[in-house]
Amino acid sequence: MAIVAGVDFGTLSVRVTIVDTARGRLASGTAGYPLHRRNDDPDYATQSHEHHMRALAEAMHAACASAQVAGATIAALAIDTTGSSVIPVGKNLEPLDEYYLWCDHRAWREAALITETARREKLEVIAWCGGTYSSEWGFSKLLHWLRHNPDKRGKFVSAFEHCDYVAAVLCGITDPDRAPRSVCAMGHKWMWNAAFGGLPPEEFLVAVDPLFAGVRGKLGGRYLTSDKIAGNLSAEWAGKLGLREGIPIPVGAFDAHWDALGAGARPGDVVNVVGTSTCIIAMSDEARLVPGVCGVVPGSVDPLKTGVEAGLSATGDIFEAIARRAGKSVAELSAGLEKYRGGQTGLLRLTWDNGDRTVLVNPALGGITLGWHLSHTAEDELFAAIEGTAFHTRVIFERMESYGVPIERVINAGGIPQKNEVLNQVYANVLQKPVLVPTGDVTSLGSAIFAAMAAGAFPSVAAAQAALCPAHRVIEPDASTARVYHELFGFYREIYFGFGSADAQAIRAGGVLPGLREIAASLRGQA
């Protein structure tokens, strides 16, 4: 038996969960931090390392107090974070700037250049991240920073993913060659692949931009899966967190990947981690390439399996934006949506408001809503947006299945499925599969699983899941609504591929708007 702490850094707050490996979850503590946006640049999104660490200490003390445990009894802690959230550092690993948060898309030009160069140079590893490099990922963001901060380039020592940087700071590591590098983070976002010699070669990076000269050598460190130890808690941070010096900290990972494990995922499951964006996580016993799917990385979720990652660049962010424009909260705008029937609004919503993460991997796209008429309400748009995220998820599932990724169970994890039953039912109807939802909140439970393994309480991820993960409740699809959604999905898929790619073949879209109108009218006639 051991008491451990699981840490989850989200987009707006950090959560610390205290878990007793014999009794399960005891309590959690949270603390927020600001997200820095700019009205003149919708692609801008940064956060402060100082704010993150101050919030971590606050959340840790709150969690221990709520759990009524002394910090000295905690045997290990583990950290997951958003990603790719990148910070450039200088001497002694001191920050040179704020984090480029995962939802910072300023590097879209850099991403396009990396993709173009990779295809021209026939860089084999680009196929393992879907064939297209993203503005959300590490090299794009680092190149953008190098281009726009000439006064700081001379001080640049390295760059880190958030999960690795927090672990290094907590362990008192100041040498980049001793720092942990998460296989999850570096494999999914930095094209690291052990089979191809690690990171892309220096020659390729310089071909992208001469500013990359020497950068590969500055991204050294210990590249490890999360069953390995990053280091031990330093005396300085033990004091700030109220914990015992020297406890082990395993190598970190991204929040969605560990949330999937906390939700009870096993091979054959696909987990929709639905929050501000959606990360779609699966595991396989084999490494299979899936075009347009943004990452296939051995060891990135369960260290003994191959992790597969896809997703939507915006989900909850879209719901929030619709509610904000209406002058309401999402909860207020959602009141009554349980009475809506699939397709009744006559709207078809493509949720590209933050670009497309999968399968088009195109950050230049924008949201599209078809079928507007004068009596539509903000509630109608919100329901159509929920439907749109489900349709997009089905596009991704079809791509994964067509390339051999098994989908035996669908699990809806993340914060939104815990409080939005309408979304769960729409997903079941659109995907035409039962949707499982954990009976308890699993945020930061995945990190607690790895903390428990680091403390020696469990020999494997599967053993820890069996002891700690909650059961699931099941939302079954409604057959009649599923038939309506199958018809609507035909329209959605045609528009998705027809509008989403510059080299797409011409489509005959003249039947879409009449089709939407006909479906909505038929539903009103049945009411």
Side-chain angles (χ1 to χ4, degrees), residues 1-6 17-28 67 69 441 445 448-449 452 458 464-470:
M1 185 192 85
I3 297 176
V4 299
T17 296
I18 307 299
V19 171
D20 184 312
T21 58
R23 295 180 290 158
R25 179 191 292 264
L26 300 181
S28 296
V69 300
D441 186 2
L445 183 57
I449 284 172
F458 299 109
Q465 285 179 302
L468 300 177
C469 291

Side-chain angles (χ1 to χ4, degrees), residues 204-404:
F204 165 75
L205 294 173
V206 173
V208 172
D209 193 304
L211 288 176
F212 270 147
V215 163
R216 188 182 193 275
K218 294 180 179 181
L219 298 176
R222 297 175 295 126
Y223 285 71
L224 300 167
T225 50
S226 294
D227 54 344
K228 304 298 190 296
I229 301 301
N232 299 90
L233 186 64
S234 69
E236 177 188 0
W237 278 98
K240 291 179 180 180
L241 299 178
L243 305 182
R244 177 164 43 90
E245 179 185 356
I247 63 173
I249 300 175
V251 175
F254 288 151
D255 50 3
H257 300 70
W258 281 7
D259 281 350
L261 293 177
R266 63 195 188 200
D269 295 344
V270 175
V271 183
N272 300 312
V273 183
V274 187
T276 50
S277 70
T278 294
C279 284
I280 296 172
I281 305 295
M283 290 179 285
S284 175
D285 290 322
E286 301 178 54
R288 298 172 180 265
L289 288 173
V290 185
V293 168
C294 55
V296 179
V297 178
S300 70
V301 184
D302 184 322
L304 301 179
K305 307 291 181 182
T306 292
V308 181
E309 179 194 354
L312 284 64
S313 291
T315 305
D317 272 354
I318 295 176
F319 306 159
E320 291 284 353
I322 293 169
R324 185 171 62 251
R325 290 193 292 267
K328 297 182 178 180
S329 69
V330 173
E332 290 170 332
L333 204 61
S334 298
L337 290 189
E338 70 279 357
K339 298 176 183 177
Y340 276 56
R341 303 174 66 184
Q344 78 168 52
T345 67
L347 298 174
L348 188 66
R349 182 72 151 81
L350 283 92
T351 50
W352 287 332
D353 301 50
N354 216 4
D356 183 287
R357 181 183 292 167
T358 314
V359 298
L360 300 172
V361 199
N362 188 347
L365 299 177
I368 299 174
T369 305
L370 299 174
W372 285 112
H373 56 71
L374 295 176
S375 64
H376 275 123
T377 65
E379 287 83 358
D380 295 335
E381 185 186 5
L382 178 59
F383 189 75
I386 293 171
E387 293 176 319
T389 64
F391 287 138
H392 193 167
T393 300
R394 181 167 167 179
V395 168
I396 294 168
F397 279 19
E398 287 190 349
R399 176 62 61 91
M400 292 169 70
E401 286 186 301
S402 69
Y403 282 85

Side-chain angles (χ1 to χ4, degrees), residues 129-205:
C129 54
T132 303
Y133 203 73
S134 170
S135 62
E136 295 187 4
W137 299 349
F139 278 118
S140 302
K141 292 176 175 178
L142 178 55
L143 181 55
H144 185 276
W145 184 85
L146 290 169
R147 285 177 165 182
H148 290 83
N149 292 276
D151 57 321
K152 298 179 183 178
R153 284 182 208 147
K155 300 177 182 178
F156 176 75
V157 170
S158 191
F160 282 92
E161 283 289 341
H162 190 187
C163 61
D164 293 330
Y165 188 56
V166 173
V169 169
L170 291 179
C171 296
I173 296 171
T174 58
D175 179 354
D177 290 332
R178 290 186 53 238
R181 298 281 187 179
S182 164
V183 162
C184 174
M186 302 306 288
H188 282 289
K189 310 301 183 185
W190 293 78
M191 294 188 284
W192 183 88
N193 191 310
F196 299 113
L199 294 170
E202 173 84 1
E203 296 77 14
F204 165 75
L205 294 173

Side-chain angles (χ1 to χ4, degrees), residues 406-430:
I407 302 179
E408 298 168 6
R409 301 195 306 173
V410 177
I411 301 174
N412 272 8
I416 290 179
Q418 290 292 321
K419 55 191 176 185
N420 193 321
E421 200 61 18
V422 170
L423 179 138
N424 294 324
Q425 188 63 62
V426 167
Y427 274 51
N429 292 338
V430 168

Side-chain angles (χ1 to χ4, degrees), residues 43-63:
D43 290 327
Y44 185 97
T46 70
Q47 282 179 333
S48 159
H49 168 68
E50 182 182 354
H51 290 163
H52 282 167
M53 300 308 286
R54 185 184 303 128
L56 172 60
E58 182 181 336
M60 183 67 74
H61 286 287

